[in-house]
Amino acid sequence: MMAMLPLMLTAIIVIALAILTARIMNRHGNRKGKYSYSRRVRFLFSGYMAVLLICVVLDTVHPVNTVEGWKKVDTEELDKESSDLYDAALAGEIAHVDSKFLREKWSFDYNGPQLDVALVEDDYVNISVFVERKKSNDGKIEAVFYQTRSSVNGMEITDYTNPPSLEMAKDELFLRNPKISKFEFAEFTNVFSVKQFTGENFFSHHSEFSGDQSILYMRIPRDLELIDKTGINLNYVE
């Protein structure tokens, strides 16, 4: 009810101005034109008010900022999840992270003294890579990929994102970008008749994306030397 008050007050002002305009036009017009001017004003004003009322009704019933079947999330909560995951990886406590963020696991047998880590086709990846050295040379490289939740305009899209792939080829370990997911949205917005009273920008449009925290955590044999060819830097956990 409070939200409708400014609109009601504006409508009253518009009605008053329309009546005043009609009277002025009747007073200064000739006798032949009095009726036509007054009728024209009333016709235009009535039509405009009808359009305005229809727009107000539609604005109250159309879906706002929701997509059927998609869950709304708190972006501040998502930001905290991302920060907590990064801090856990940095401290070498990735095992304590909630398993719901675990997206993929790999294990490779490798006994060589050094290993190149590269990107497939030199693509850019938005992934933080952490490396933990084991206490022994067990001949195994273990890797896990963690990813926190993400959203678009307050709607969670985590289930529609894909993990990267990790491939071993001779003396090279390749990191490949996740498969791209494409999203198409149709958005309802207030029309001109409503925006002129609510103060909204007629041409404003923006989408809010809350990015996930993506971390590849590797555990390697104690004496294995990694040659970083990714350009994204390997963070060694002490």
Side-chain angles (χ1 to χ4, degrees), residues 27-94:
R27 181 176 300 174
H28 295 285
N30 55 38
R31 182 176 298 277
K32 182 179 180 181
K34 284 182 180 180
Y35 176 76
S36 60
Y37 275 127
S38 178
R39 184 179 181 184
R40 187 180 304 171
V41 170
R42 287 197 299 270
F43 176 78
L44 292 176
F45 177 73
S46 298
Y48 179 75
M49 287 302 297
V51 172
L52 179 61
L53 290 174
I54 292 173
C55 291
V56 170
V57 172
L58 292 177
D59 183 58
T60 60
V61 299
H62 78 62
V64 179
N65 295 330
T66 59
V67 176
E68 184 177 353
W70 288 35
K71 184 172 63 176
K72 295 202 69 175
V73 293
D74 185 347
T75 54
E76 292 185 2
E77 184 178 340
L78 300 192
D79 292 340
K80 185 177 186 306
E81 289 177 356
S82 297
S83 178
D84 290 345
L85 176 60
Y86 188 89
D87 291 342
L90 190 62
E93 299 178 351
I94 199 73

Side-chain angles (χ1 to χ4, degrees), residues 135-203:
K135 295 181 179 180
S136 63
N137 292 312
D138 61 356
K140 285 187 178 295
I141 297 175
E142 301 168 1
V144 288
F145 177 70
Y146 284 86
Q147 185 179 43
T148 57
R149 295 181 295 167
S150 54
S151 69
V152 170
N153 293 343
M155 298 175 294
E156 185 176 350
I157 60 171
T158 309
D159 293 339
Y160 300 91
T161 60
N162 302 298
S165 63
L166 207 57
E167 305 165 3
M168 177 75 78
K170 295 184 178 180
D171 294 332
E172 287 189 289
L173 183 64
F174 290 100
L175 176 61
R176 185 188 296 272
N177 261 321
K179 182 180 178 181
I180 296 176
S181 298
K182 295 183 178 180
F183 302 93
E184 294 183 0
F185 297 94
E187 182 180 14
F188 289 93
T189 183
N190 288 328
V191 294
F192 166 79
S193 301
V194 175
K195 284 185 176 181
Q196 63 179 318
F197 299 118
T198 61
E200 297 177 59
N201 190 317
F202 296 147
F203 305 103

